[in-house]
Each structure stands twice: as structure tokens, then as C-alpha cells.
Amino acid sequence: MNVDLYERIWMGAAAALIAVFLLAIVIAAGAYAIQPPSHVEIIDPATIHDHPEFGAPGVETRPDGSVVVTVVAEMFFFDPDPIEVPAGRPVTFRLTSPDVIHGFEVVGTNANAMVIPGYVSEFTTTFAEPGEYMVVCHEYCGMLHHNMGATLVVQEATE
Ligand code: CUA
């Protein structure tokens, strides 16, 4: 079978491009720990403010030293704000929304999730560097989407 030279070049280029994209996914998943969440948990968005956990969002340290941050994302703020967590320890975020889809991204880290009404988004990460981080909503959620943000304060490890 005769394949024209230019066609062979473009077939090769297309195959190389696919290989590059697949490699990018593997590198992101492996080296940067960027993965889709696997946690599925449902919640009634209408009763979030009376919910035992999400009715009083905040930062909690469990007896084993792990930290759980419960966050409600709603038009157009995050509660709590600021969020204060320790550096160098696993921090589990649990997020939900009573209204529309929001995003939760800690700029400059791999902490990033969609916040979907009816579901609890959960992920665990560790912040190595103390400092102040910007949290932004990265899903368009309405008129004041561009104002929706918070501050994450990562405090120097105390032990
Ligand atoms: Cu909330 Cu955009």
C-alpha cells in the first residue's frame, strides 16, 4: 500500500500529539497528584444550614491529628473565611453548596474541586509551605462570581 509522503508526516505528527497528551495526563497524575475525585456522598442542599456538619462549617482537628475542613460555598462567598490549617499535615476538605455549582481552588496548589449542590466534595492534601493562599471559585456561578474568593492561611507546624 502506498501512502503519500505528506500523509505519512501528518499521521506521524497526529500520533505524536496523542502521545504527548497521554504523557501529560500521566505526569499530572503521578508527579503533581492531580486526579479526579473518587468520593461520592449525597446531601440535601435545601437543609445544609441545619445540617449537623455543614450548619457549622469550620476547621476541626481529629484525635489522630488529622485536620478536617468543612466548607460551604454559596453565592458569593466561602464559609469559613479565612480558613486556617497547619502546614505539613494531611488536611481533608469537605465541601458542598446550597445553591449552584461553585469551584474551590487553592491557587498554586493541587487543592481543586468542583462544589456541586446535592453532593459533598472531599479531598485530602498537605500544604508544605506556610503562608497565605488565595482561594477562588472557578465555576461561573452568577453575577458576582468574579468576587467569590477566600483566604487560606497555612500556619507553621507547631510540633
Ligand atoms: Cu461561586 Cu463562581
Side-chain angles (χ1 to χ4, degrees):
M1 187 177 69
N2 176 49
V3 180
D4 185 76
L5 174 64
Y6 285 130
E7 197 166 351
R8 253 181 290 152
I9 290 171
W10 283 111
M11 275 165 28
L17 201 59
I18 289 167
V20 167
F21 289 159
L22 288 175
L23 197 64
I25 292 171
V26 171
I27 290 171
Y32 298 109
I34 297 169
Q35 296 131 11
S38 54
H39 182 81
V40 178
E41 179 181 341
I42 57 169
I43 186 169
D44 178 4
T47 60
I48 277 169
H49 296 299
D50 300 320
H51 190 272
E53 182 185 2
F54 288 97
V59 182
E60 189 199 333
T61 305
R62 286 185 175 159
D64 66 357
S66 63
V67 176
V68 179
V69 184
T70 305
V71 181
V72 173
E74 68 181 282
M75 295 163 155
F76 295 94
F77 60 91
F78 293 99
D79 185 13
D81 178 17
I83 301 166
E84 294 178 10
V85 297
R89 262 202 278 169
V91 177
T92 299
F93 286 88
R94 289 174 51 75
L95 310 118
T96 195
S97 161
D99 42 47
V100 299
I101 293 177
H102 298 279
F104 181 91
E105 178 183 2
V106 182
V107 177
T109 72
N110 71 343
N112 185 329
M114 282 175 84
V115 187
I116 304 165
Y119 292 88
V120 176
S121 302
E122 181 179 306
F123 65 88
T124 301
T125 191
T126 302
F127 301 100
E129 288 296 319
E132 273 197 19
Y133 294 78
M134 188 165 62
V135 177
V136 295
C137 174
H138 58 66
E139 296 285 342
Y140 182 73
C141 53
M143 286 287 284
L144 295 177
H145 160 71
H146 62 283
N147 278 349
M148 187 167 168
T151 304
L152 177 82
V153 182
V154 177
Q155 286 156 337
E156 203 89 48
T158 46
E159 69 240 72

